[in-house]
Amino acid sequence: MPNTKTLVIIKPDGISKLLIGNIISRFTETRLEIIGCKMVRVSKELAEKHYAEHKGKPFYNDLIDFITGKLHQHREVMALVYSGLNAIEKIRAICGATNPEKAEPDTIRGQFGRILESGLMENVVHASDSVESAEKEIKLWFEPDELIQEIYPTEEKVFKNHKKIVWKE
Ligand code: IDP
Ligand code: MG
């Protein structure tokens, strides 16, 4: 397998349970490289684009509430891009199965996930599941200049009347 990229999100339950360090340590064992990392307040629009494939499923509304932080004290998530050999498979193996009750106990989801009374699987992390979804997700969550490598082709565009917040002089 070639060098691949994958998007990881530490979900609001992972942030609330103070698991950022633990999760990144686990991923560090893979020796994959972090090429982007940021904290994000997830808008409904971003959540709906990210989980578009699940629209219409019984857990969809709860899933959107979950990822936008409505179920936790912490409204933010951490988004990371990992790069390296078999990145997608290596990261998903450490995350474990989607259902935390079925996930192996030595995986992140097996250790720290749970199923809510509503049935929603609160499973601490998201990780891309294929090269195609990784590209779609990375482009959704990150601008080109937020990554330390140019992993997909870019182009220069000039925006007129483009307002931008900068540090005050
Ligand atoms: P994945 O996160 O392992 O790729 P997906 O099928 O893409 O799993 O589902 C996205 C997220 O939706 C899951 O991580 C989990 O939080 C939630 N989810 C998936 N399937 C179910 C279900 O059958 N019941 C409740 N929640 C689910
Ligand atoms: Mg998925």
Side-chain angles (χ1 to χ4, degrees):
M1 267 298 277
N3 187 305
T4 53
K5 325 286 167 206
T6 189
L7 178 81
V8 168
I9 299 164
I10 304 179
K11 298 181 182 182
D13 55 330
I15 306 288
S16 290
K17 290 173 179 165
L18 307 178
L19 291 173
I20 292 179
N22 182 306
I23 292 167
I24 293 179
S25 292
R26 298 288 299 276
F27 291 147
T28 303
E29 289 166 23
T30 63
R31 306 268 190 121
L32 294 167
E33 189 186 359
I34 297 173
I35 61 168
C37 176
K38 62 177 175 178
M39 300 302 294
V40 183
R41 282 258 158 96
V42 184
S43 66
K44 195 154 190 269
E45 189 192 359
L46 173 60
E48 286 176 345
K49 282 186 184 157
H50 178 75
Y51 282 131
E53 64 173 309
H54 298 297
K55 196 170 172 130
K57 293 186 183 168
F59 58 86
Y60 177 76
N61 289 336
D62 288 339
L63 182 57
I64 299 297
D65 282 351
F66 172 33
I67 201 69
T68 54
K70 296 218 168 68
L71 310 182
H72 292 87
Q73 274 189 332
H74 291 267
R75 290 200 41 229
E76 59 278 1
V77 303
M78 181 179 260
L80 302 110
V81 179
Y82 279 90
S83 168
L85 216 60
N86 295 334
I88 292 170
E89 294 76 8
K90 283 179 185 162
I91 294 285
R92 277 190 74 97
I94 293 170
C95 291
T98 306
N99 182 339
E101 287 180 6
K102 300 224 168 101
E104 294 295 331
D106 62 345
T107 61
I108 293 168
R109 287 168 164 182
Q111 267 187 307
F112 303 113
R114 61 176 185 158
I115 300 185
L116 303 185
E117 267 174 44
S118 66
L120 183 74
M121 292 167 185
E122 199 185 73
N123 55 11
V124 190
V125 273
H126 165 84
S128 308
D129 64 5
S130 66
V131 172
E132 294 72 30
S133 51
E135 179 173 349
K136 208 182 94 197
E137 292 171 1
I138 291 167
K139 288 178 173 174
L140 179 63
W141 286 78
F142 285 86
E143 299 290 342
D145 67 3
E146 292 177 313
L147 301 179
I148 59 166
Q149 290 170 9
E150 193 178 307
I151 56 174
Y152 308 118
T154 58
E155 60 182 342
E156 214 173 72
K157 266 194 186 174
V158 179
F159 294 94
K160 269 191 192 155
N161 302 322
H162 181 68
K163 247 195 226 170
K164 194 179 162 190
I165 294 186
V166 296
W167 298 116
K168 209 168 176 178
E169 281 183 27

